[in-house]
Amino acid sequence: MMLLQWTLTPDLLYQAGTGILLFLLVVAAIFSLVQKDLLMAIVGTSLVSLILSVLFLLLHAPDVALTEAAIGVALTTVIFLIALRKTGRYEE
Amino acid sequence: MIYYIVSIIVMLIGLYAVLMKKNLIKIVVGLSLIDSGTHLLLVAIGFIKGGTAPIYSEPGLTADAMVDPVPQALVLTAIVIGVAVTAVALAMVIRIYAQHKTLDIRKIRSLKW
Amino acid sequence: MKKLLATFLLGFIGFYLYTAFAGVPFGESKMKVGKDYLETTVPKTGAVNTVTSIVVNYRGFDTLGEVTVLFLAATGLGAILFGMKGKPEDKHREPSSILTTGAKALFPIIVLLGAYIFIHGHLTPGGGFQGGTIIATGVLMLILGIKKFHANHALLSIMESLAGITFVVAGILGLAFGKTFLENILPLGTPGQVFSAGVIPIIYVAVGFKVGAELAGVLDTMMSTTRGEE
């Protein structure tokens, strides 16, 4: 009965936000799997890391969130991009 | 519970990329996705409803109201190791490309460098 | 056919992973050793941030091994890419003067942010690994922004070696004072102050310098193979 009233409690907002983020996580992972353009696939993994960092913050792990934001979003993406520049951009 | 399901899905997507993709960079992307899924799974196991971050930032916080710090410490080190593994794998990919001029694993027949 | 086999295998693995984790309750306390760490972190180690006290103090030996793995990865990467030259036909756009000036102006601020994060590792979220990575991204910005910039590898390796020696000496001091390896020998101080928690800030600053130097070296090695010079 509580759910039928559609009141925007903070708890409901929290649940909805978590659900949307988890859905986007799966979408970004599938995007980076099926994309033929490797540059777009790498941007997809960067997006996965970014969403993961927000999720770590929601799970009360600020240390891990900071690490993932610094390493997963910035450094891993840059290393992938350097490798991409040295090799080919498209997947045959 | 949904955290477990989503992280297992992300791990399986990465494993599919490792098994089925023919491009070497795509395979490394798959490895990094497996990493991400494992990290989310470990941190989600340590979560406690109504808990706070395990930092005594203000007076009055007690140990009963905090989430488990051990998985967080493990994941912290695992992320740093993950970037080192990715860097070494990509260096090998660059070297293979310089030798064979292709990233397709079906065309890389010889193991000689 | 191969796709079908792979899908079947993934379904198999996914099903068993799910059944394994279906019995683990989500959001409930299942701490055993974590409880002890949470209760003893302030009286025993003096660190306010429990994750830092686990990484540096309770499992400090683990962290020493991890830093060694990072060092080996950086060395191995240099060995794999040794002697590679960039393609001479690569076209390079010159960095614009806005990028060059901005990179030079922002670099000290980024280093300051990184240093703040690893000095306050025992008080706030963050620590040596995060701060070191932020410093490495600052170096990356210099590499991108300044034409023909090369990180000074001799300086980087000296920094890295000094940081590693500091870590090991801090561990051996524990042995020298009749305790175990990496045990705290300094006074704990008041929890919540910058100068507290004994040996933890020293080790985390060393880890920060080490990680920053290693990752900056990795980035410079990888960039110099793609730039078509040297």
Side-chain angles (χ1 to χ4, degrees):
Chain A
M1 288 314 258
M2 285 297 282
L3 277 176
L4 289 177
Q5 290 175 348
W6 288 107
T7 46
L8 275 179
T9 57
D11 191 48
L12 191 66
L13 273 179
Y14 178 84
Q15 302 259 338
T18 312
I20 291 169
L21 280 175
L22 287 170
F23 176 71
L24 282 178
L25 182 70
V26 175
V27 169
I30 292 176
F31 175 79
S32 64
L33 173 74
V34 299
Q35 186 61 250
K36 291 280 176 198
D37 186 351
L38 288 173
L39 185 64
M40 291 316 240
I42 290 165
V43 172
T45 47
S46 177
L47 195 61
V48 167
S49 286
L50 187 63
I51 297 169
L52 214 58
S53 153
V54 180
L55 280 173
F56 286 146
L57 199 62
L58 291 180
L59 288 171
H60 298 300
D63 286 271
V64 186
L66 199 56
T67 318
E68 183 76 38
I71 291 185
V73 181
L75 211 62
T76 312
T77 312
V78 167
I79 291 175
F80 267 116
L81 289 179
I82 294 171
L84 200 62
R85 166 140 195 210
K86 190 70 188 167
T87 59
R89 176 170 168 181
Y90 293 96
E91 183 184 10
E92 301 103 54
Chain B
M1 205 63 227
I2 185 146
Y3 277 102
Y4 296 167
I5 298 171
V6 167
S7 50
I8 288 173
I9 289 174
V10 172
M11 277 158 70
L12 290 182
I13 290 171
L15 199 57
Y16 182 82
V18 173
L19 283 176
M20 293 300 292
K21 289 292 170 181
K22 304 292 188 297
N23 187 296
L24 275 172
I25 287 189
K26 237 7 188 327
I27 291 175
V28 182
V29 165
L31 288 176
S32 137
L33 280 179
I34 297 178
D35 247 13
S36 305
T38 320
H39 298 159
L40 184 60
L41 185 62
L42 277 174
V43 175
I45 286 175
F47 179 67
I48 294 169
K49 273 208 182 76
T52 62
I55 299 171
Y56 291 92
S57 48
E58 0 180 317
L61 286 172
T62 54
D64 302 323
M66 286 182 176
V67 300
D68 195 348
V70 178
Q72 297 189 13
L74 293 180
V75 170
L76 184 67
T77 52
I79 289 175
V80 182
I81 294 294
V83 73
V85 168
T86 308
V88 172
L90 285 173
M92 283 180 176
V93 170
I94 290 174
R95 201 75 200 190
I96 289 174
Y97 185 84
Q99 189 71 27
H100 294 271
K101 300 290 170 210
T102 179
L103 285 178
D104 195 332
I105 51 170
R106 286 167 298 190
K107 291 177 191 154
I108 302 169
R109 294 272 178 203
S110 67
L111 285 174
K112 282 189 286 188
W113 275 25
Chain C
M1 183 59 208
K2 206 178 156 197
K3 205 172 239 177
L4 201 71
L5 203 66
T7 318
F8 180 72
L9 182 69
L10 289 183
F12 188 73
I13 293 173
F15 175 73
Y16 276 98
L17 271 178
Y18 177 72
T19 44
F21 283 102
V24 180
F26 176 72
E28 290 170 32
S29 178
K30 29 194 177 290
M31 282 191 265
K32 290 192 171 68
V33 67
K35 201 85 189 166
D36 191 53
Y37 287 157
L38 278 175
E39 279 161 2
T40 59
T41 172
V42 174
K44 261 192 184 169
T45 67
V48 176
N49 187 346
T50 315
V51 178
T52 299
S53 74
I54 291 176
V55 167
V56 181
N57 203 307
Y58 292 109
R59 292 174 183 269
F61 200 58
D62 202 4
T63 306
L64 183 60
E66 190 210 348
V67 173
T68 314
V69 168
L70 255 185
F71 169 70
L72 283 177
T75 316
L77 191 131
I80 290 171
L81 291 180
F82 179 75
M84 278 201 51
K85 293 202 179 57
K87 284 175 280 185
E89 70 269 26
D90 268 1
K91 286 192 291 289
H92 297 286
R93 257 201 312 193
E94 305 272 312
S96 68
S97 61
I98 294 177
L99 185 59
T100 309
T101 319
K104 278 179 187 163
L106 274 178
F107 180 68
I109 302 175
I110 291 180
V111 172
L112 188 68
L113 174 68
Y116 174 85
I117 283 179
F118 63 63
I119 288 171
H120 290 75
H122 54 299
L123 304 176
T124 55
F129 296 109
Q130 294 91 329
T133 317
I134 287 171
I135 290 178
T137 47
V139 174
L140 171 75
M141 202 175 65
L142 284 187
I143 293 173
L144 291 178
I146 298 175
K147 201 179 140 194
K148 293 198 174 149
F149 176 83
H150 279 286
N152 188 345
H153 275 274
L155 182 70
L156 283 181
S157 59
I158 288 173
M159 246 170 77
E160 191 185 328
S161 316
L162 278 181
I165 290 170
T166 312
F167 197 152
V168 176
V169 164
I172 290 176
L173 276 182
L175 281 180
F177 280 77
K179 294 179 174 175
T180 53
F181 189 69
L182 279 171
E183 194 165 341
N184 186 21
I185 41 117
L186 296 172
L188 290 182
T190 325
Q193 302 287 318
V194 175
F195 293 103
S196 67
V199 82
I200 288 180
I202 299 171
I203 291 180
Y204 236 10
V205 168
V207 169
F209 275 113
K210 198 163 163 61
V211 170
E214 272 157 4
L215 291 179
V218 164
L219 282 174
D220 191 63
T221 312
M222 289 191 81
M223 283 302 275
S224 65
T225 62
T226 66
R227 261 190 295 182
E229 43 182 274
E230 272 188 303

